[in-house]
Amino acid sequence: MRGSVFAVLSCATVLLAGCTTTVTGTPEPASPPSGEAQAVAGEPCELLTPEEAAALDYEDEGAFTAGDPGQLLPSFCTWSPLYDDVGRDSLDVYFSVDIPLTDYMAGVAPEWEKEIGGLTWARYPSTVGGESLCSLVTELSPSSFVLIMSSDFADESQACEQAEEVAPFVSSHLPGGAPATIEPREPSPLESVDPCSLLTAEQAEELGRRGDGDFLEAQDSLPARCEWIAADGDRRNSTLVTVAPDRPLPEFPLDTEPKEVEEGDRTWLVYPASIPGLCQADLPVTDHSYVAITVVEGDVEEDELCAMVEDTIPFVTENLPES
């Protein structure tokens, strides 16, 4: 990245180590080898490029917060998740140049350590957040360290997943770190699919809907979709088909266990939504694309409502492009 080599470290530490790490995303040039374009000392927002952050599903620019050495608080940068509904929490990266790690951790020993991106990273226990919070640290000198903090309060066993995913790219901007490369994402066959093409007029009528669907433009985090209203014209009852060619599948509602429905070589996930009178089926197509079917009916039981979704699945599946 931009900036100079971390000043307090010896030039010898800039030797590359380990193999290249890759992450899927929009094709971009590889991060320059360590020693050629490293982070400015103590500048945590320089530890991920905008391209790397976006490929890791974070906003491309982080928010800087100044540190307070007197309070043993290093400067840090916070990256917000790119999508609000996929279960990814914010990411904090701390960069200390004047606080010894032993002081910051109050002498507590790490739980485990491993090599990531050519550097040794260690997980330290957290007094706040317990096992749901992960502090992953690499020590750069007796008075400097970088800490990546991630969390998962829904599944504490996954608390370090984001930190470990980010660590190779942070390492690549530190002395001694190995280069990391952003690889192209798997292309989605949904790129040019019109959601209104996923039910024919005859199929919609067979499902009790009017034959012509209404195309609805994408809005904020809501992808483009097509709506077929009830045959009697009651707009409170409808079937919607959503096509998301460039974003991950949202998380299921809390306490919901989806039902798997096989159709051909596809596996749909059917579940009642948290809103009464609504049932949905999701089909992940790639890591960053999906199709969804939503049926809205105000006067039917949940089982019947989800059965209507299942009746729609064969038609939509038939009309999808091959994966």
Side-chain angles (χ1 to χ4, degrees):
M1 290 183 64
R2 302 180 299 275
S4 60
V5 176
F6 187 33
V8 298
L9 299 179
S10 165
C11 293
T13 61
V14 303
L15 296 175
L16 301 181
C19 59
T20 298
T21 300
T22 62
V23 66
T24 57
T26 303
E28 295 290 343
S31 299
S34 299
E36 293 183 11
Q38 295 170 3
V40 175
E43 292 290 343
C45 290
E46 298 292 310
L47 294 177
L48 281 180
T49 67
E51 295 79 15
E52 289 167 344
L56 292 160
D57 287 340
Y58 293 103
E59 297 286 351
D60 55 10
E61 297 291 343
F64 176 79
T65 299
D68 184 349
Q71 298 295 320
L72 296 181
L73 179 65
S75 298
F76 65 96
C77 193
T78 300
W79 281 269
S80 298
L82 194 56
Y83 309 105
D84 296 330
D85 52 5
V86 299
R88 181 169 286 257
D89 295 332
S90 295
L91 178 85
D92 294 323
V93 177
Y94 294 75
F95 195 168
S96 167
V97 295
D98 47 16
I99 302 169
L101 180 60
T102 53
D103 291 352
Y104 184 79
M105 293 298 177
V108 174
E111 296 177 347
W112 49 257
E113 63 180 37
K114 64 175 68 174
E115 182 177 304
I116 306 175
L119 300 178
T120 299
W121 291 85
R123 182 185 183 176
Y124 282 82
S126 175
T127 56
V128 178
E131 292 298 310
S132 296
L133 197 67
C134 179
S135 297
L136 198 61
V137 184
T138 188
E139 190 172 21
L140 303 176
S141 81
S143 62
S144 62
F145 63 88
V146 170
L147 182 154
I148 304 172
M149 184 174 292
S150 66
S151 60
D152 193 324
F153 292 95
D155 183 356
E156 64 182 26
S157 70
Q158 302 298 314
C160 283
E161 187 175 274
Q162 291 173 231
E164 291 187 60
E165 186 181 6
V166 170
F169 293 90
V170 172
S171 294
S172 74
H173 301 295
L174 294 171
T181 303
I182 301 172
E183 293 292 339
R185 271 198 189 117
E186 176 188 3
S188 172
L190 301 178
E191 289 292 345
S192 59
V193 173
D194 179 350
C196 290
S197 71
L198 295 181
L199 281 180
T200 66
E202 294 77 11
Q203 290 168 341
E205 289 167 1
E206 188 173 335
L207 294 167
R209 306 306 189 196
R210 288 189 171 177
D212 296 327
D214 295 322
F215 178 78
L216 304 174
E217 296 279 357
Q219 297 176 336
D220 299 326
S221 62
L222 192 61
R225 56 216 183 279
C226 192
E227 181 180 30
W228 289 263
I229 65 171
D232 62 5
D234 188 344
R235 291 188 173 274
R236 295 171 298 176
N237 302 325
S238 63
T239 297
L240 296 100
V241 176
T242 299
V243 174
D246 55 4
R247 71 186 320 275
L249 183 69
E251 278 200 334
F252 301 113
L254 293 176
D255 303 321
T256 295
E257 188 67 32
K259 173 186 176 182
E260 293 189 356
V261 175
E262 303 286 342
E263 183 62 37
D265 61 351
R266 316 266 191 171
T267 301
W268 290 80
L269 304 170
V270 180
Y271 57 94
S274 55
I275 302 172
L278 187 152
C279 188
Q280 183 159 320
D282 293 336
L283 175 68
V285 176
T286 67
D287 286 344
H288 280 73
S289 65
Y290 69 92
V291 176
I293 299 169
T294 306
V295 172
V296 182
E297 288 279 346
D299 298 323
V300 301
E301 297 295 326
E302 182 179 288
D303 289 348
E304 183 181 350
L305 183 62
C306 289
M308 295 173 69
V309 172
E310 292 188 41
D311 289 342
T312 309
I313 286 174
F315 295 136
V316 173
T317 304
E318 175 187 339
N319 296 324
L320 283 170
E322 293 186 5
S323 56

